[in-house]
Structures are given as C-alpha cells and as structure tokens.
Amino acid sequence: MKIFIDTANIEMIKEINSWGILDGVTTNPSLIAKERTDLKTCVTEISKIVDGPISAEAISLDAEGMIKEGRELSGIHQNINVKLPMCIESLKATKVLSAEGIDVNMTLIFSPHQALLAAKAGARFVSPFVGRLDDIGQIGSDLLSQIVTVFRNYDTETEVIAASIRHPVHVLEAATIGADIATIPYDILKKMVSHPKTDEGIRLFLADHEKSKKK
Ligand code: G3P
C-alpha cells in the first residue's frame, strides 16, 4: 500500500519525507486554510520536496471552472493532480481533464456508486472518507471494501485512496482490504512507528550492552 500524508504543513511533509516512506501528498481547502497559506504557493513548495502525486483541490462548482482550475494547477508541476468533489459537474470535468492527461482525484466519496461513476469518467484516484462515515454511525471500512471489490471485478485502473483516516486501525483496515493508498495525517504516522515493547526492548539492549562493557 502506498502511503500519502494528508496535510498542507510543509515542515510535517519534510519530516515524513525524510523517513523514506512517503509516496504522495493530499491537501484540501480546510488543510490549506489551517496553514494560512494559498493553494498554489503550497503545492509548488510540496512539489519541490516530494516525488509523487500531490492533490490540489479545485473550488469551482461548474465543469468549466473546474477544467480551468485543473489545467492551471496541473501546469504548476507534473505531479500535481486536481481534486474534485463528487458531483455531476465533476464527472463532466473529469472526462475532459483525463482526456488531456490531467489526473483527477475524485473526493468526498461516500458510496460505491459514486466511486464507480468517477472511475468511468476517468478519475485516476477516488477518495472514500472512512472516518466521516464512522462519525455518523456507518462503517467506513465497509465502503472501502465494496469499492476495492468493484474495481477488482473489472480490473479498473482507478486507484482507491483511503481518506479521512482518524487512527492507526483505519490504516490497518485499508491495508487488509487492499486499498491502493492510505492518506494519513502526521500524528497518526507518528503513532504507527511506536510500540511500547519496542521502546522497552531498545532500553534493555542498551542496558545489557553497558553491562557487558564493564566486564
Ligand atoms: O483526505 C480527506 C481528509 O482530509 C478528511 O479528513 O478528518 O477531515 O474527515 P477528515
């Protein structure tokens, strides 16, 4: 499974990239606003750090505006794909942009039907929001599983990004279900590294090493 980071924070991206495990980055208007930056400046900076897909979300609600924004954003760097919110206008825009070789990440996916339509229109990625379904008492991982099954049934090239990841168990579910990608917030990536028994083991090995030096 490929690992993306879900943030617009440049320092966090630099740090996780330095681990050697980062395959890409997703941003959205809320994450951009949180960093008090603007989209173009932010994705330009990210493209200098990470060698992999970078999602930049369009804010137009009509196909014409989305296509214009998509062309502009993808023109910044070859790794930038345009994120569009699932709706009829986004399907129309995806058809045009994908025919031009511009990758689309269809976001705010909450049903397998939406994912199927996005793939048919030519989206390179679909982003089902696992955590936000859990928030309303539905099972986010069931959605992920249904989409992965549907895409496997038809050898669909569109990649599934498990998004709205809230804790390490969501990452485990994405990997066991077979999602192509999980886009993960910084604090959850940090949690994935740690285990108390690992920390304890390191302490014990170092203590034994110190003892053996004294012999
Ligand atoms: O990738 C989408 C993600 O940023 C949404 O996460 O936690 O706002 O539902 P969340």
Side-chain angles (χ1 to χ4, degrees), residues 6 26 28 31 83 129 132 163-166 183:
D6 194 28
T26 52
N28 64 39
L31 295 170
K83 219 179 185 189
F129 275 33
R132 290 195 196 182
S164 185
I165 297 275
R166 300 282 175 72
T183 188

